[in-house]
Coordinates of all heavy atoms in Angstrom, one line a residue:
F1 N 0.8 -1.2 0.0 CA 0.0 0.0 0.0 C 0.9 1.2 0.0 O 2.0 1.3 0.6 CB -0.9 0.0 1.3 CG -1.9 -1.0 1.3 CD1 -1.8 -2.1 2.0 CD2 -3.2 -0.8 0.6 CE1 -2.9 -3.1 2.0 CE2 -4.2 -1.7 0.6 CZ -4.0 -2.9 1.3
T2 N 0.4 2.3 -0.6 CA 1.0 3.6 -0.5 C 0.3 4.4 0.6 O -0.9 4.6 0.6 CB 0.8 4.4 -1.9 OG1 1.6 3.7 -2.9 CG2 1.4 5.8 -1.7
L3 N 1.1 4.9 1.6 CA 0.5 5.5 2.7 C 0.9 7.0 2.6 O 2.0 7.4 2.4 CB 1.1 5.0 4.0 CG 1.0 3.5 4.2 CD1 1.6 3.0 5.6 CD2 -0.4 3.0 4.0
V4 N -0.2 7.9 2.9 CA 0.0 9.3 2.9 C -0.7 9.9 4.1 O -1.7 9.5 4.6 CB -0.7 9.8 1.7 CG1 -0.7 11.4 1.6 CG2 -0.1 9.2 0.3
I5 N 0.0 10.9 4.7 CA -0.7 11.7 5.8 C -1.5 12.9 5.2 O -1.1 13.6 4.3 CB 0.4 12.3 6.7 CG1 1.1 11.2 7.5 CG2 -0.2 13.4 7.6 CD1 0.2 10.6 8.6
A6 N -2.8 12.9 5.7 CA -3.7 14.1 5.3 C -4.2 14.7 6.6 O -5.1 14.2 7.2 CB -4.8 13.5 4.5
T7 N -3.5 15.8 7.0 CA -3.9 16.4 8.3 C -4.1 17.9 8.1 O -3.5 18.5 7.3 CB -2.8 16.2 9.3 OG1 -3.0 16.9 10.6 CG2 -1.4 16.6 8.8
S8 N -4.9 18.4 9.0 CA -5.1 19.9 9.0 C -4.0 20.6 9.7 O -3.9 21.9 9.7 CB -6.5 20.3 9.5 OG -7.5 19.9 8.7
K9 N -3.2 19.8 10.5 CA -2.0 20.4 11.2 C -1.1 20.9 10.1 O -0.9 20.3 9.0 CB -1.4 19.3 12.0 CG -0.2 19.8 12.9 CD 0.3 18.6 13.7 CE -0.7 18.1 14.7 NZ -1.1 19.0 15.7
P10 N -0.3 22.0 10.4 CA 0.7 22.5 9.4 C 1.7 21.3 9.1 O 2.1 20.6 10.0 CB 1.4 23.6 10.1 CG 0.3 24.2 11.0 CD -0.5 23.0 11.5
T11 N 2.0 21.3 7.8 CA 2.9 20.1 7.3 C 4.2 20.1 8.1 O 4.6 19.0 8.5 CB 3.2 20.4 5.8 OG1 1.9 20.5 5.1 CG2 4.0 19.2 5.3
V12 N 4.8 21.3 8.4 CA 6.1 21.3 9.1 C 6.0 20.6 10.4 O 6.9 20.0 10.9 CB 6.6 22.7 9.2 CG1 5.7 23.6 10.0 CG2 8.0 22.7 9.7
F13 N 4.8 20.8 11.2 CA 4.6 20.1 12.5 C 4.4 18.7 12.3 O 4.9 17.9 13.1 CB 3.5 20.8 13.2 CG 3.7 22.2 13.6 CD1 2.7 23.1 13.8 CD2 5.0 22.8 13.8 CE1 2.9 24.4 14.1 CE2 5.3 24.1 14.1 CZ 4.2 24.9 14.3
A14 N 3.6 18.3 11.4 CA 3.3 16.9 11.1 C 4.6 16.1 10.8 O 4.8 15.0 11.3 CB 2.3 16.7 10.0
E15 N 5.5 16.7 10.1 CA 6.7 16.0 9.7 C 7.6 15.8 10.9 O 8.2 14.7 11.1 CB 7.5 16.9 8.7 CG 6.9 16.9 7.3 CD 7.5 17.9 6.4 OE1 8.3 18.8 6.9 OE2 7.3 17.8 5.2
Q16 N 7.6 16.8 11.8 CA 8.4 16.6 13.1 C 7.8 15.6 14.0 O 8.5 14.8 14.6 CB 8.5 18.0 13.8 CG 9.3 19.0 13.0 CD 9.4 20.3 13.8 OE1 9.9 20.4 14.9 NE2 8.8 21.4 13.2
I17 N 6.5 15.5 14.1 CA 5.8 14.6 15.0 C 6.1 13.1 14.4 O 6.4 12.2 15.2 CB 4.3 14.9 15.1 CG1 4.1 16.2 15.9 CG2 3.6 13.7 15.7 CD1 2.8 16.8 15.8
L18 N 6.0 12.9 13.1 CA 6.2 11.6 12.6 C 7.6 11.1 12.8 O 7.9 10.0 13.1 CB 5.8 11.6 11.1 CG 4.3 11.8 10.8 CD1 4.2 12.0 9.3 CD2 3.5 10.7 11.3
K19 N 8.6 12.1 12.7 CA 9.9 11.7 13.0 C 10.1 11.4 14.4 O 10.9 10.5 14.8 CB 10.9 12.9 12.5 CG 11.0 13.0 11.0 CD 11.9 14.2 10.7 CE 12.0 14.4 9.2 NZ 12.8 15.6 8.8
Y20 N 9.5 12.2 15.3 CA 9.6 11.9 16.7 C 9.1 10.5 17.1 O 9.8 9.8 17.9 CB 8.7 13.0 17.5 CG 8.6 12.8 18.9 CD1 9.7 13.1 19.8 CD2 7.4 12.3 19.5 CE1 9.5 12.9 21.2 CE2 7.3 12.2 20.8 CZ 8.3 12.4 21.7 OH 8.2 12.2 23.0
F21 N 8.0 10.1 16.4 CA 7.5 8.7 16.7 C 8.2 7.6 15.9 O 8.0 6.4 16.0 CB 6.0 8.7 16.4 CG 5.2 9.3 17.4 CD1 4.2 10.2 17.0 CD2 5.3 9.1 18.8 CE1 3.4 10.9 18.0 CE2 4.5 9.7 19.8 CZ 3.5 10.6 19.3
N22 N 9.2 8.1 15.0 CA 9.9 7.2 14.1 C 9.0 6.4 13.2 O 9.2 5.1 13.0 CB 10.8 6.2 14.9 CG 11.8 5.5 14.1 OD1 12.3 6.0 13.1 ND2 12.2 4.3 14.5
I23 N 7.9 7.0 12.7 CA 7.1 6.3 11.8 C 7.0 7.1 10.4 O 6.3 6.7 9.5 CB 5.6 6.2 12.3 CG1 5.0 7.6 12.7 CG2 5.6 5.2 13.5 CD1 3.6 7.5 13.1
N24 N 7.9 8.1 10.3 CA 7.9 8.9 9.0 C 8.3 8.0 7.8 O 7.9 8.3 6.7 CB 8.8 10.0 9.1 CG 10.2 9.7 9.6 OD1 10.4 9.0 10.6 ND2 11.2 10.1 8.8
Q25 N 9.0 6.9 8.0 CA 9.5 6.1 6.9 C 8.4 5.4 6.2 O 8.6 4.9 5.1 CB 10.6 5.2 7.4 CG 10.1 4.0 8.2 CD 10.2 4.3 9.7 OE1 10.2 5.5 10.1 NE2 10.2 3.3 10.5
Y26 N 7.2 5.3 6.9 CA 6.1 4.5 6.3 C 5.3 5.4 5.3 O 4.5 4.8 4.5 CB 5.2 4.0 7.3 CG 5.9 3.0 8.3 CD1 5.9 3.3 9.7 CD2 6.4 1.8 7.8 CE1 6.5 2.4 10.6 CE2 7.1 0.9 8.7 CZ 7.1 1.3 10.1 OH 7.7 0.4 11.0
F27 N 5.5 6.7 5.3 CA 4.7 7.5 4.5 C 5.4 8.1 3.3 O 6.5 8.6 3.4 CB 4.1 8.7 5.3 CG 3.2 8.2 6.4 CD1 3.8 8.0 7.7 CD2 1.9 7.9 6.2 CE1 2.9 7.5 8.7 CE2 1.1 7.5 7.2 CZ 1.6 7.2 8.4
E28 N 4.8 8.0 2.1 CA 5.4 8.4 0.9 C 5.2 10.0 0.8 O 6.0 10.6 0.1 CB 4.7 7.8 -0.3 CG 5.3 8.1 -1.7 CD 4.8 7.2 -2.8 OE1 5.2 6.1 -2.8 OE2 4.0 7.8 -3.6
L29 N 4.2 10.5 1.3 CA 3.8 11.9 1.2 C 3.2 12.3 2.5 O 2.4 11.6 3.1 CB 2.9 12.1 0.0 CG 2.6 13.6 -0.3 CD1 3.8 14.4 -0.8 CD2 1.5 13.6 -1.4
I30 N 3.6 13.6 3.0 CA 2.9 14.1 4.2 C 2.3 15.5 3.8 O 3.1 16.4 3.3 CB 4.0 14.4 5.3 CG1 4.6 13.1 5.7 CG2 3.4 15.1 6.5 CD1 5.8 13.2 6.6
V31 N 1.0 15.6 3.8 CA 0.3 16.8 3.4 C -0.5 17.4 4.6 O -1.4 16.6 5.1 CB -0.6 16.5 2.2 CG1 -1.3 17.8 1.8 CG2 0.2 16.0 1.0
G32 N -0.2 18.6 4.9 CA -1.0 19.3 5.9 C -1.4 20.7 5.4 O -1.3 21.0 4.2
S33 N -1.7 21.6 6.3 CA -2.0 23.0 6.0 C -0.7 23.7 5.9 O 0.3 23.3 6.2 CB -2.9 23.6 7.0 OG -2.2 23.6 8.3
N34 N -0.9 24.9 5.4 CA 0.3 25.9 5.3 C 0.2 26.8 6.5 O -0.8 27.0 7.1 CB 0.2 26.7 4.0 CG 0.3 25.9 2.7 OD1 1.1 25.0 2.6 ND2 -0.6 26.2 1.8
L35 N 1.4 27.3 6.9 CA 1.5 28.1 8.2 C 0.7 29.4 8.0 O 0.2 29.9 9.0 CB 3.0 28.4 8.5 CG 3.7 27.2 9.1 CD1 5.2 27.6 9.1 CD2 3.2 26.9 10.5
D36 N 0.4 29.8 6.8 CA -0.4 31.1 6.7 C -1.9 30.8 6.7 O -2.7 31.7 6.5 CB 0.0 31.8 5.3 CG -0.3 31.0 4.1 OD1 -1.0 29.8 4.3 OD2 0.0 31.4 3.0
G37 N -2.3 29.5 7.0 CA -3.7 29.2 7.2 C -4.4 28.7 5.9 O -5.5 28.3 5.9
T38 N -3.6 28.7 4.8 CA -4.2 28.2 3.6 C -4.1 26.7 3.5 O -3.4 26.1 4.2 CB -3.6 28.9 2.3 OG1 -2.1 28.6 2.3 CG2 -3.7 30.3 2.3
R39 N -4.9 26.1 2.6 CA -5.1 24.7 2.5 C -5.3 24.0 3.9 O -4.7 23.0 4.2 CB -3.8 24.0 1.8 CG -4.0 22.6 1.2 CD -2.9 22.1 0.5 NE -1.8 21.8 1.4 CZ -0.5 21.7 1.1 NH1 -0.1 22.0 -0.1 NH2 0.4 21.4 2.1
A40 N -6.3 24.5 4.6 CA -6.5 24.0 5.9 C -7.7 23.0 6.0 O -7.7 22.2 6.8 CB -6.8 25.2 6.8

């Protein structure tokens, strides 16, 4: 399966959290909101 993160949390925070839990390697793409509030 291809695994993707789809979160309303800003992408930059989602990336750090996945690395913190050591599960980032399972995801091909991490998509969240932008820090300016767009794509929320």
